[in-house]
Amino acid sequence: MSVVLYDTSLRDGTQGEDVQMSVADKLTIAQLIDDLGVSYIEGGWPGSNPRDEAFFEEARKLQLKNAKLAAFGATRRSGIKCEQDANLQALLRAEVPCLTIFGKSWRFQATEVLRISPEENLELIEDSVRYLKQHVPEVVFDAEHFFDGYKDDAPYALECLRAALRGGADYLTLCETNGGALPHEVAAAVAHAARELAATAQPGSAAGARARLGIHTHNDCECAVANSVAAVRAGAIMVQGTVNGYGERCGNANLISIIPALQLKLGLPCVTDAQLQKLRHVARTVDEISNRTPWASQPYVGRSAFAHKGGMHVDAVKKNSRAYEHIEPELVGNHRRILLSDLSGRANVELKAKELGIELDPKSPETRKILEKLKQLEADGYQFESAGASFKLFVLQSLGQLREHFTLRDLEVQIAFGDEARGARAQAAERDVTRVRIEIGVGDEVAYSSARGEGPVHAMDLALRSVIDRFYPQLEAVRLVDYKVRVLTSADGTGSVVRVLIQSSDGSEVWGTVGVSPNIIHASWNALVDALVYKLVKDGVEPYLAAGGRQERPSQPALPAAK
Ligand SMILES: [Zn+2]
């Protein structure tokens, strides 16, 4: 048996409070979801807003490889014909092969919210499904509040499903709309519905002898994924969900967790192995497009999902990854990370160094010394998790293998702002009045430079680069791509220690460096210098010697990339 995946990130997912998607974003995301091997992409509710109508106009032009587009709407209103119902007409105008409509399956919702009789509600369902089915190949009926309705009046909830089946629905989705049910309740209700409908579905009816059940859950009890898996085990063959669990309130069922659970744990194929390996990429890219910070601890795909910190754990993972990993991270496109921290054991340091291309003997006194120094640095506020380049320089220095390319002799920063400064800036047509003057030693030479920039870090970068590129032209390619500051000890107020993290790139590799100091400019300087020195070290660049100077030293081999 295989499971049909139905994505509703672009419809239910956009109900999430902090999820923002333009039409262009939705088109890009649709393409990503298609790459993942999902069968249906619900693009929106054309009857509810013009943006969704615009989406379908563009989406019809997409060349989707795996997915069919679906549009979402409601059953017809009471007292009018389907032909007169604006919402159903908007659905047909979407011109997609699958239409999904929701209807009430809770008696109380029909009588108290729609204020119609339970019998009329059944007619609305059957009528609307039959009408749409005359125009499109596939119709999915979403039974809203099915599980609450089932608890309240099971025979009526099942009657609603039968009405949709009579209308010719291809799938009957049982919706856990309020997100309040637990897995054992979902499993029991799905199993009952599957039994009932198998017994009563008429052979030769549009949906065949057996109703195809779907599941749609919300995460209000943190059980949306568990409920979806339970429903599949009880007989549902379609799973509706969203990428990263986007959705109203606490979100929808997270397809990014459901797919590997079904495929790797239950052995139910939903996508190919190659598609599964795109899981992390899709999850992160969709976060980026939707302007959401990726969730580090997100199961399967998070940055921390396969990160090992405790020394004993690292030692065990080194021997056999199954010791502390439930699956191989590569199956879902993730990778193992060894973290360095004050819990660091020698195994962490050894493994991390190995990741960076440095072989350390875990039993050697050097390794012990490095570990001790590392613990001191971490106590001071250093963190090398995302600063692999600084860690590599630290290890090389500890081993006496780091040679000096340049030294800082003096640095002065002049910052001026305020009404007077603004006046002066306007006169001089300058964009900023931050000025940095530096004096550095390179070989036997002393070089000076000064620069103005947009703030001290920018000015410092410009000043250093304007003088250093002369000696090391390789550095011209290096660009600062990210700069982050974190305050470490808030108890001291503005006197706090800060940690600066810089990401740099030379076009082919990105590397991270770190600086820590109570002085933000000093911390930034250290991170900046590490970034440049790392480039020189990785390219195997010799320290500059004055012309006609000393004897050349043997060349240092280029080192592999840091992460
Ligand atoms: Zn929903």
Side-chain angles (χ1 to χ4, degrees), residues 67 72 84 223 340 432 481:
F72 180 83
Q84 300 162 330
C223 284
L340 297 160
D432 209 291
V481 292

Side-chain angles (χ1 to χ4, degrees), residues 331-505:
L331 293 172
V332 291
N334 209 340
H335 58 267
R336 178 172 310 128
R337 285 170 62 235
I338 305 299
L339 304 182
L340 297 160
S341 74
D342 42 13
L343 295 174
S344 292
R346 283 186 224 183
N348 291 44
V349 174
E350 185 211 341
L351 266 190
K352 181 72 185 174
K354 199 171 177 180
E355 224 179 274
L356 298 167
I358 306 167
E359 287 291 340
L360 286 179
D361 173 2
K363 295 191 183 73
S364 75
E366 280 87 17
T367 307
R368 196 179 335 129
K369 244 196 281 172
I370 289 175
L371 187 58
E372 272 159 26
K373 269 203 234 169
L374 186 64
K375 284 184 176 169
Q376 185 54 51
L377 285 175
E378 282 172 343
D380 293 345
Y382 277 82
Q383 192 202 54
F384 292 101
E385 247 176 67
S386 47
S390 283
F391 178 72
K392 184 172 189 164
L393 297 178
F394 157 72
V395 173
L396 288 176
Q397 188 169 38
S398 306
L399 296 172
Q401 293 173 11
L402 187 66
R403 291 159 58 197
E404 207 160 66
H405 286 83
F406 61 92
T407 54
L408 177 68
R409 294 168 56 100
D410 194 25
L411 183 140
E412 262 178 44
V413 180
Q414 200 184 60
I415 300 172
F417 52 87
D419 291 346
E420 283 293 308
R422 205 173 297 139
R425 183 173 55 194
Q427 269 177 11
E430 283 170 2
R431 297 185 63 196
D432 209 291
V433 283
T434 300
R435 188 188 165 92
V436 168
R437 200 190 66 80
I438 60 167
E439 186 182 318
I440 61 167
V442 187
D444 293 339
E445 294 184 23
V446 176
Y448 306 87
S449 165
S450 71
R452 291 189 173 91
E454 295 181 54
V457 177
H458 183 231
M460 215 157 57
D461 189 27
L462 291 179
L464 176 59
R465 303 294 291 276
S466 74
V467 66
I468 203 76
D469 288 1
R470 287 211 305 272
F471 300 95
Y472 301 111
Q474 297 85 352
L475 297 178
E476 270 175 46
V478 179
R479 295 282 168 269
L480 193 148
V481 292
D482 194 23
Y483 171 85
K484 278 200 196 83
V485 180
R486 160 119 351 139
V487 176
L488 298 180
T489 45
S490 49
D492 298 334
T494 48
S496 305
V497 169
V498 298
R499 179 197 299 140
V500 169
L501 284 166
I502 289 182
Q503 299 268 313
S504 309
S505 168

Side-chain angles (χ1 to χ4, degrees), residues 11-12 216 218 252:
R11 201 273 304 169
D12 227 4
H216 174 116
H218 280 262
N252 283 57

Side-chain angles (χ1 to χ4, degrees), residues 206-222:
R210 224 184 133 84
R212 294 188 283 183
L213 296 183
I215 181 75
H216 174 116
T217 63
H218 280 262
N219 203 31
D220 301 72
C221 293
E222 187 112 19

